[in-house]
Amino acid sequence: MSPIDDELRTAFSSRTDGVGLSPDFFSGVERRAKRLRRQRVAATVAGSALAVSALGLGGPLVASSLTRDSGPPSMAAPQETAAPQERYDLHAGHLWPFRGSDSAREAMQEATTVQWAATQGADPADVELVPLWAEVFEPSGVATLVFLARDGEGPWHWAVASSSEAGPEVLRDELLGERTFGLGIALPGDEVSRLLVLSAPGTTPGYVHGDGDGVDGEDGLLLAPREGDTSRDAFRVVAPGGTVLVEQRAPEPPAGASSPEGEGPGTGEVPGDVVAPPTNAVLWPTAGAASPDLVEQALTAFATDTEVTREMVGGHLLYGLEEDGRSVLVLSAWQAGGDARTYAWTVDARGRTASVLTGPTSPGPAALAVLLPSDATGEAADRLVVVPEPRTGQVLYSQDGTSEPRPVRSQGTGAAVYLERPPGTTGDRLLVLDGNGDPDRPVYRGTVDELLAATA
C-alpha cells in the first residue's frame, strides 16, 4: 500500500460518519498526500546512481566511457556532491542559449537552414534551426555554425556547418541523444587543430591531453588548441557540485585541420605512411571522423586481405562513422606500385569485423558505393553505403527501379548515405544532384549496380 493510501485511510478513519467534514478537509488531505509524494521522489533521486554509457566518438555525450586505468589522467578529482542532471542535459524542453559571434550566426543561419533541409529531403519552410555557437576563424575567414535542427515535429539533430565558396557545407549531422550533457567538436586551426566543447551554462567543460595536461573552460564553453599526439585526448563536463556528468575521448580533427597545408594527423592518412598514392587514388577531404587507431586497424586488415605486409600499403580515409559501439570506414587504399581500390571495413561493439574490397577505382568518380552484405555484418539486410564527392548535393533513391527516385531523408553526417537493400535487389536507382540541386544536371544518374561496377 502506498503512502498516499495510508494517508487517506488515516484521515478518513479519524472521522466518524456522524461528524460533518469541514470545507477544506479534502484539500488538506490532498496537500499532505502531495507532500509525501515529493518526499518519496526526492529520496528516489538521491539514491540513484549515474547511468554510464556513450553514443560515439565525438558525438553527443551521455556519460563516461573512460576508466581511470585506461583513460588519460584526470584534471581534478570530482567531489562527491551530487547535482541534479536534469538541469544540464540538452533536449527539446531545455535548449542551451547561443554562444559565440552574432555576426557569424546571422551570416550562416538562413543558408544553413536551406542546406540542412536539402540533406534531409525537407522543405526549408518546415525546418526549425536553433544556433548554439558560431565563429569566423580569422586566419582563413571560414565561418562555422553549431546548431540544432528538426524537420517539422521530427526528432532533433545536432549538426556542424562550415562556410565555403559554394555555400554552407554540413560537416556533421547526428540525432540528438536522450541525455546529452556535452557536444565535442574538432575544428580546424592555424598551426594546430582546436577542440570545442559546449555544455549547459553553469557547468565546466574540460580538456585533458593524453600527457596529463588539462585546461578548463567556463560557463559551458571551452575552445582550446590541440598539440602533439591527440590520440588519447579526452574531454569532460563537470556540474557545479563537482559531479562529472560525462567524460569521453575527444573527436579527431577533420581533414586538413592540423595545419594550413593539410599535413599530419587529420588528413585521412595514417601518421607514418610512406607509400605514395597511385594516380587513381581518391583523395577527397575526409567526411565524418574516425580515430587514427581505427584507420590503422582498417589498413592492417586491407594488407591482410591483399596478402601483403602492413608496410606495403597506404590509404586515405574517405568516410568514417563511429556510432552506438559500431564503426564504419570507407577508404581509398593501395599497395606499393598498385592501383587504388575502395575498401570498406566495419567493427561492431563486440569487436567483430567485416570488410569489402572492390577492384581498381575508375578515374574521376562522382560517387563511391560499397555494399556490405548481410552475411558479413550480421544484419537482416545488406547495407548500401554511398559516399558522394564533397560539395555535391542531395542523394535520391528508387528501390523498385520504376518510380522516380525520392530524397533520402537520413544522410548520416551529410556526406554519406546508408540504405537497407534486401539481398537480391536489382534495378534500384540512384540520383546524386550537383551542389546547386539542379535535377537536370546530376553528377550521377543510374542504377546502384552500375555505380557499384564503376567503383570497382
Side-chain angles (χ1 to χ4, degrees):
M1 186 173 295
S2 70
I4 295 177
D5 295 329
D6 291 337
E7 181 68 18
L8 291 172
R9 180 180 294 277
T10 301
F12 280 108
S13 296
S14 66
R15 306 290 177 126
T16 65
D17 294 338
V19 178
L21 301 179
S22 63
D24 63 345
F25 169 68
F26 287 107
S27 61
V29 172
E30 182 180 6
R31 286 194 300 270
R32 293 162 65 191
K34 288 182 176 179
R35 184 174 66 253
L36 281 176
R37 182 184 297 276
R38 289 195 299 268
Q39 293 171 349
R40 183 174 58 176
V41 171
T44 301
V45 172
S48 299
L50 295 178
V52 180
S53 61
L55 283 182
L57 180 70
L61 306 180
V62 292
S64 175
S65 63
L66 294 179
T67 65
R68 296 297 175 219
D69 293 331
S70 61
S74 60
M75 291 173 290
Q79 303 176 14
E80 296 297 328
T81 305
Q85 298 183 21
E86 286 73 12
R87 293 185 300 173
Y88 307 123
D89 61 337
L90 178 63
H91 55 81
H94 182 213
L95 302 181
W96 298 337
F98 173 78
R99 273 76 60 90
S101 166
D102 288 326
S103 59
R105 171 184 57 79
E106 293 172 358
M108 290 280 290
Q109 184 166 347
E110 183 176 353
T112 300
T113 301
V114 174
Q115 181 61 26
W116 188 85
T119 67
Q120 302 296 312
D123 185 340
D126 297 332
V127 169
E128 181 179 0
L129 188 144
V130 179
L132 296 177
W133 180 86
E135 73 157 10
V136 175
F137 188 56
E138 293 301 336
S140 63
V142 173
T144 300
L145 178 67
V146 180
F147 60 95
L148 298 176
R150 64 176 176 177
D151 177 13
E153 297 300 320
W156 283 100
H157 295 232
W158 77 275
V160 182
S162 179
S163 65
S164 69
E165 293 181 359
E169 180 180 357
V170 178
L171 303 177
R172 189 173 186 88
D173 182 2
E174 303 287 347
L175 286 173
L176 185 65
E178 292 185 0
R179 294 180 69 80
T180 298
F181 295 104
L183 300 177
I185 301 149
L187 295 174
D190 188 3
E191 297 182 356
V192 296
S193 63
R194 300 171 295 153
L195 174 67
L196 170 68
V197 182
L198 294 177
S199 56
T203 61
T204 303
Y207 166 39
V208 190
H209 196 273
D211 60 11
D213 293 336
V215 60
D216 286 339
E218 59 182 15
D219 202 24
L221 176 63
L222 167 70
L223 185 59
R226 304 180 69 184
E227 298 181 281
D229 180 9
T230 62
S231 62
R232 296 183 64 241
D233 289 359
F235 65 99
R236 61 166 53 171
V237 176
V238 181
T243 299
V244 177
L245 298 173
V246 68
E247 184 173 356
Q248 172 136 352
R249 296 202 182 280
E252 286 303 311
S258 58
S259 70
E261 293 79 17
E263 298 176 350
T267 63
E269 315 291 341
V270 176
D273 271 346
V274 294
V275 181
T279 56
N280 74 323
V282 180
L283 302 178
W284 298 337
T286 303
S291 68
D293 287 345
L294 281 177
V295 179
E296 176 62 33
Q297 292 179 51
L299 286 178
T300 300
F302 173 78
T304 300
D305 288 346
T306 55
E307 300 180 340
V308 297
T309 62
R310 169 65 184 88
E311 293 75 17
M312 294 181 63
V313 304
H316 177 79
L317 179 65
L318 294 170
Y319 177 72
L321 174 67
E322 299 181 49
E323 187 176 54
D324 296 333
R326 178 174 180 173
S327 301
V328 178
L329 282 69
V330 178
L331 306 97
S332 183
W334 53 85
Q335 298 179 13
D339 290 327
R341 305 167 73 175
T342 303
Y343 187 69
W345 181 81
T346 71
V347 57
D348 65 14
R350 297 183 181 181
R352 297 174 299 187
T353 63
S355 60
V356 174
L357 175 64
T358 75
T361 307
S362 300
L368 297 176
V370 179
L371 188 65
L372 302 175
S374 58
D375 57 357
T377 62
E379 298 183 354
D382 296 341
R383 181 73 63 176
L384 177 66
V385 184
V386 180
V387 183
E389 184 176 2
R391 307 190 191 282
T392 57
Q394 199 170 24
V395 176
L396 299 89
Y397 176 71
S398 171
Q399 185 174 14
D400 57 24
T402 57
S403 59
E404 284 298 314
R406 300 181 61 83
V408 179
R409 292 186 61 83
S410 178
Q411 300 196 19
T413 65
V417 173
Y418 287 78
L419 293 167
E420 288 190 357
R421 192 176 189 246
T425 300
T426 59
D428 48 342
R429 294 185 295 155
L430 280 169
L431 185 66
V432 182
L433 302 183
D434 66 4
N436 296 321
D438 186 352
D440 297 324
R441 300 181 60 186
V443 297
Y444 178 80
R445 184 199 301 271
T447 68
V448 171
D449 291 330
E450 289 170 340
L451 182 57
L452 289 170
T455 300

